[in-house]
Amino acid sequence: MSEFSFSDHSHRRFNPLTQTWVLCSPHRAKRPWLGQVEEAANEQRPAYDPQCYLCPGNRRATGAQNAQYSSTYVFPNDYAAVHAAQPDCTRAALAQVAGTQAIGELFRVESTLGQCKVLCFSPRHDLTLPELSVDEISAVVRAWQQIYTSLSEDPDIRYVQLFENKGAMMGCSNPHPHGQVWALSDVPSEPAKEIASLLAYRQAHAEPDACLLCSYVAAELANAHAPPTNRVVLQNDSFVVLVPFWAVWPFETMIVAKTHVANVSQLDTQQVRDLAAAMQALTIRYDNLFQCSFPYSMGLHQSPTATHPDAGCCHLHLHFYPPLLRSATVRKFLVGFEMMAEPQRDLTAEQAAARLRAQDPIHYKSHAT
């Protein structure tokens, strides 16, 4: 029998951040595809759309009017997922939907409070993040800093999630370049799993400042010197962009701070610019991969708030989860085995990183002008 090959043989990879596994089946990339084909995201849009609820000066669906903004613009989400005030969910209220059997053991509810905001990245309706300049993306990062710092001062807020859904394929309801902020009274499940792993790693090591992601970044930078182990896509002085060893989505990436930074508010001026440059460089490569406006969901994981008791063990990083698999029109689905058992991927992390590294650092639209 031939030797084991990570490019041909199935195997499972462990994610130490979430304590979960992913099944890798690289040989399945060769299978023919007769499944669903999406419409390629190459829509041409005007710089200003009078019907867009996010363009400067326009009225939104609720009647509120946007400012005539010229950079970033933040406003409360008109259709927020959570609210700052609402009645508490009492045991009597829970009984209305759960009955009276096993309340507190099998039927549990927590009332959730919070705030939701929208952050427009640019007044231009026709641009996306990879088409913005580093200065313009730096303004987005500074807006994140201001929003995060302000919400961290609210005693009712215990978690701040900054994120972007890009593209209709990822459920984005408006193509105008924007992200969202959801601030909650409790830490949600996914970041809670990561924080638990970061705490456990620190407790398992003798050094008081031991950090799982600091160690992981150091290992991946060392691995980058040999092609078979290179999962780094690009890097600058402050951040490294890599395809994580345990990636689930075909071209999933992380942007990780090279030094131990707990949250976005701690970034200095140069680090803000370096993060903006890393975001631009990565998303340009995404768009160039299939010559389309590459969809993804992206979000920051960091200390839940600046004052959270576990902030010291947290390490700022961004997750990018793009769905495209083979082309601009063929996406990955998390179904079947992945819903019933565990996630599975075809392309290996090393293959995905190599393909992203090979992309032109100049946006494909720039070559057409």
Coordinates of all heavy atoms in Angstrom, one line a residue, residues 119-158:
L119 N -23.2 49.9 9.9 CA -22.0 50.7 9.6 C -21.8 50.7 8.1 O -21.4 49.7 7.5 CB -20.7 50.2 10.3 CG -19.4 50.7 9.8 CD1 -19.3 52.2 10.1 CD2 -18.2 50.0 10.6
C120 N -22.1 51.8 7.4 CA -21.8 52.0 6.0 C -20.3 52.2 5.8 O -19.7 53.1 6.4 CB -22.6 53.1 5.4 SG -24.4 52.8 5.4
F121 N -19.7 51.4 5.0 CA -18.2 51.5 4.8 C -17.9 52.7 3.9 O -16.8 53.3 4.0 CB -17.7 50.3 4.1 CG -17.8 49.0 5.0 CD1 -17.7 47.8 4.4 CD2 -18.0 49.1 6.3 CE1 -17.8 46.6 5.1 CE2 -18.1 47.9 7.1 CZ -18.0 46.7 6.5
S122 N -18.8 53.1 3.0 CA -18.5 54.1 2.0 C -19.8 54.7 1.5 O -20.8 54.1 1.5 CB -17.7 53.5 0.8 OG -17.6 54.4 -0.3
P123 N -19.7 56.0 1.1 CA -20.9 56.6 0.4 C -21.2 56.0 -1.0 O -22.3 56.1 -1.5 CB -20.6 58.1 0.3 CG -19.1 58.1 0.3 CD -18.6 57.0 1.2
R124 N -20.1 55.4 -1.5 CA -20.3 54.8 -2.9 C -21.1 53.5 -2.9 O -20.7 52.5 -2.2 CB -18.9 54.5 -3.5 CG -18.1 55.8 -3.8 CD -18.5 56.3 -5.2 NE -18.2 55.4 -6.3 CZ -17.1 55.3 -6.9 NH1 -16.1 56.1 -6.6 NH2 -16.9 54.4 -7.9
H125 N -22.1 53.5 -3.7 CA -23.0 52.3 -3.7 C -22.4 51.2 -4.5 O -22.7 50.0 -4.4 CB -24.3 52.7 -4.4 CG -25.4 51.7 -4.4 ND1 -26.1 51.3 -3.3 CD2 -25.8 50.9 -5.5 CE1 -26.9 50.3 -3.7 NE2 -26.8 50.1 -5.0
D126 N -21.5 51.5 -5.4 CA -20.9 50.6 -6.4 C -19.6 49.9 -6.0 O -19.1 49.1 -6.7 CB -20.7 51.3 -7.7 CG -19.8 52.5 -7.7 OD1 -19.7 53.1 -6.6 OD2 -19.1 52.8 -8.7
L127 N -19.1 50.2 -4.8 CA -17.9 49.6 -4.4 C -18.1 48.6 -3.3 O -19.1 48.6 -2.6 CB -16.9 50.7 -3.8 CG -16.6 51.8 -4.8 CD1 -15.7 52.8 -4.1 CD2 -16.0 51.3 -6.1
T128 N -17.1 47.7 -3.2 CA -17.0 46.7 -2.1 C -15.7 46.8 -1.4 O -14.8 47.6 -1.8 CB -17.2 45.3 -2.6 OG1 -16.2 45.0 -3.5 CG2 -18.6 45.1 -3.2
L129 N -15.5 46.1 -0.3 CA -14.3 46.3 0.5 C -13.0 46.2 -0.3 O -12.1 47.1 -0.1 CB -14.3 45.3 1.6 CG -13.5 45.6 2.9 CD1 -14.0 46.8 3.6 CD2 -13.5 44.4 3.8
P130 N -12.8 45.2 -1.2 CA -11.6 45.2 -1.9 C -11.4 46.3 -2.9 O -10.2 46.5 -3.4 CB -11.7 43.8 -2.7 CG -13.1 43.6 -2.8 CD -13.7 44.1 -1.5
E131 N -12.4 47.1 -3.2 CA -12.3 48.2 -4.1 C -12.1 49.5 -3.4 O -11.9 50.5 -4.0 CB -13.5 48.3 -5.0 CG -13.7 47.0 -5.9 CD -15.1 47.0 -6.5 OE1 -16.1 46.6 -5.8 OE2 -15.2 47.3 -7.7
L132 N -12.1 49.5 -2.1 CA -11.8 50.7 -1.3 C -10.3 50.8 -1.1 O -9.5 49.8 -1.1 CB -12.5 50.6 0.1 CG -14.0 50.5 0.1 CD1 -14.5 50.5 1.5 CD2 -14.6 51.7 -0.6
S133 N -9.8 52.0 -0.9 CA -8.4 52.2 -0.6 C -8.1 51.8 0.8 O -8.9 51.6 1.7 CB -8.0 53.7 -0.8 OG -8.7 54.5 0.2
V134 N -6.8 51.7 1.1 CA -6.3 51.4 2.5 C -6.8 52.5 3.4 O -7.2 52.2 4.6 CB -4.8 51.1 2.5 CG1 -4.3 51.0 4.0 CG2 -4.4 49.9 1.7
D135 N -6.7 53.7 3.0 CA -7.2 54.8 3.9 C -8.7 54.7 4.2 O -9.1 54.9 5.3 CB -6.9 56.2 3.2 CG -5.5 56.6 3.2 OD1 -4.7 56.0 4.0 OD2 -5.1 57.4 2.4
E136 N -9.5 54.3 3.2 CA -10.9 54.2 3.4 C -11.2 53.0 4.3 O -12.1 53.1 5.1 CB -11.6 54.0 2.0 CG -11.6 55.3 1.2 CD -12.1 55.1 -0.2 OE1 -11.7 54.0 -0.8 OE2 -12.8 55.9 -0.8
I137 N -10.5 51.9 4.2 CA -10.7 50.7 5.0 C -10.2 51.1 6.4 O -10.8 50.6 7.4 CB -10.0 49.5 4.5 CG1 -10.6 49.1 3.1 CG2 -10.3 48.3 5.4 CD1 -9.9 48.0 2.4
S138 N -9.2 51.9 6.5 CA -8.7 52.3 7.9 C -9.8 53.1 8.6 O -9.9 53.0 9.8 CB -7.4 53.2 7.7 OG -6.3 52.5 7.2
A139 N -10.6 53.8 7.9 CA -11.7 54.6 8.5 C -12.7 53.6 9.0 O -13.4 53.9 10.0 CB -12.3 55.5 7.4
V140 N -12.9 52.5 8.3 CA -13.8 51.4 8.8 C -13.3 50.9 10.1 O -14.1 50.7 11.1 CB -14.0 50.3 7.8 CG1 -14.8 49.2 8.3 CG2 -14.7 50.9 6.5
V141 N -12.0 50.6 10.2 CA -11.4 50.0 11.4 C -11.5 51.0 12.5 O -11.8 50.6 13.7 CB -9.9 49.6 11.2 CG1 -9.3 49.1 12.4 CG2 -9.9 48.6 10.1
R142 N -11.3 52.3 12.3 CA -11.4 53.3 13.3 C -12.9 53.4 13.8 O -13.1 53.6 15.0 CB -10.9 54.7 12.8 CG -9.4 54.7 12.6 CD -8.9 56.2 12.5 NE -9.4 56.8 11.3 CZ -8.9 56.7 10.1 NH1 -7.7 56.0 9.9 NH2 -9.4 57.3 9.0
A143 N -13.8 53.2 12.9 CA -15.2 53.2 13.3 C -15.5 52.0 14.2 O -16.2 52.2 15.2 CB -16.1 53.2 12.1
W144 N -14.9 50.9 13.8 CA -15.1 49.7 14.7 C -14.5 50.0 16.1 O -15.2 49.7 17.1 CB -14.3 48.5 14.2 CG -14.9 47.8 13.0 CD1 -16.2 47.9 12.6 CD2 -14.3 46.9 12.1 NE1 -16.4 47.0 11.5 CE2 -15.3 46.5 11.2 CE3 -13.0 46.5 12.0 CZ2 -15.0 45.6 10.2 CZ3 -12.7 45.6 10.9 CH2 -13.7 45.1 10.1
Q145 N -13.4 50.7 16.2 CA -12.8 51.0 17.5 C -13.7 51.9 18.3 O -13.9 51.7 19.5 CB -11.5 51.8 17.3 CG -10.3 50.9 16.7 CD -9.0 51.7 16.6 OE1 -9.0 52.7 16.0 NE2 -8.0 51.1 17.2
Q146 N -14.3 52.9 17.7 CA -15.2 53.8 18.4 C -16.4 53.1 18.8 O -16.9 53.3 20.0 CB -15.5 55.0 17.5 CG -14.3 55.9 17.1 CD -14.6 56.8 15.9 OE1 -15.7 56.9 15.4 NE2 -13.6 57.6 15.5
I147 N -17.0 52.3 18.0 CA -18.3 51.6 18.3 C -18.0 50.6 19.5 O -18.8 50.6 20.4 CB -18.8 50.9 17.1 CG1 -19.3 51.9 16.0 CG2 -20.0 50.0 17.5 CD1 -19.5 51.2 14.7
Y148 N -16.9 49.9 19.3 CA -16.6 48.8 20.3 C -16.3 49.5 21.7 O -16.8 49.0 22.7 CB -15.4 48.0 19.9 CG -14.9 47.0 20.9 CD1 -15.4 45.7 20.9 CD2 -13.8 47.3 21.7 CE1 -14.9 44.8 21.8 CE2 -13.4 46.4 22.6 CZ -13.9 45.1 22.7 OH -13.5 44.2 23.6
T149 N -15.5 50.6 21.7 CA -15.2 51.3 22.9 C -16.5 51.8 23.6 O -16.7 51.7 24.8 CB -14.2 52.4 22.7 OG1 -13.0 51.8 22.1 CG2 -13.9 53.1 24.0
S150 N -17.3 52.5 22.8 CA -18.5 53.0 23.3 C -19.5 52.0 23.9 O -20.0 52.1 25.1 CB -19.3 53.8 22.2 OG -20.5 54.3 22.7
L151 N -19.7 50.9 23.2 CA -20.6 49.9 23.7 C -20.0 49.1 24.9 O -20.7 48.7 25.8 CB -20.9 48.9 22.6 CG -21.8 49.4 21.5 CD1 -21.8 48.4 20.3 CD2 -23.2 49.6 22.0
S152 N -18.7 49.0 25.0 CA -18.0 48.4 26.1 C -18.3 49.2 27.4 O -18.2 48.6 28.5 CB -16.5 48.3 25.9 OG -16.2 47.3 24.9
E153 N -18.6 50.4 27.3 CA -18.9 51.3 28.5 C -20.3 51.1 29.0 O -20.6 51.6 30.1 CB -18.6 52.7 28.2 CG -17.1 53.0 27.9 CD -16.8 54.4 27.3 OE1 -17.8 55.1 27.1 OE2 -15.6 54.8 27.2
D154 N -21.1 50.4 28.2 CA -22.5 50.2 28.6 C -22.6 49.0 29.6 O -22.2 47.9 29.2 CB -23.4 50.0 27.4 CG -24.9 49.9 27.7 OD1 -25.2 49.5 28.8 OD2 -25.7 50.3 26.8
P155 N -23.0 49.2 30.8 CA -23.1 48.1 31.8 C -24.0 47.0 31.4 O -23.9 45.8 31.9 CB -23.5 48.8 33.1 CG -24.2 50.0 32.6 CD -23.5 50.5 31.4
D156 N -24.9 47.2 30.5 CA -25.9 46.2 30.0 C -25.3 45.4 28.9 O -26.0 44.4 28.5 CB -27.2 46.8 29.6 CG -27.9 47.4 30.8 OD1 -27.8 46.9 31.9 OD2 -28.6 48.5 30.6
I157 N -24.2 45.8 28.3 CA -23.6 45.1 27.2 C -22.4 44.2 27.6 O -21.5 44.7 28.2 CB -23.1 46.1 26.1 CG1 -24.3 46.9 25.5 CG2 -22.4 45.4 25.0 CD1 -25.4 46.0 24.9
R158 N -22.5 42.9 27.3 CA -21.4 42.0 27.7 C -20.7 41.4 26.5 O -19.8 40.6 26.7 CB -21.9 40.9 28.6 CG -22.4 41.5 30.0 CD -23.0 40.4 30.9 NE -23.5 41.0 32.1 CZ -24.7 41.5 32.3 NH1 -25.5 41.5 31.3 NH2 -25.0 42.1 33.5

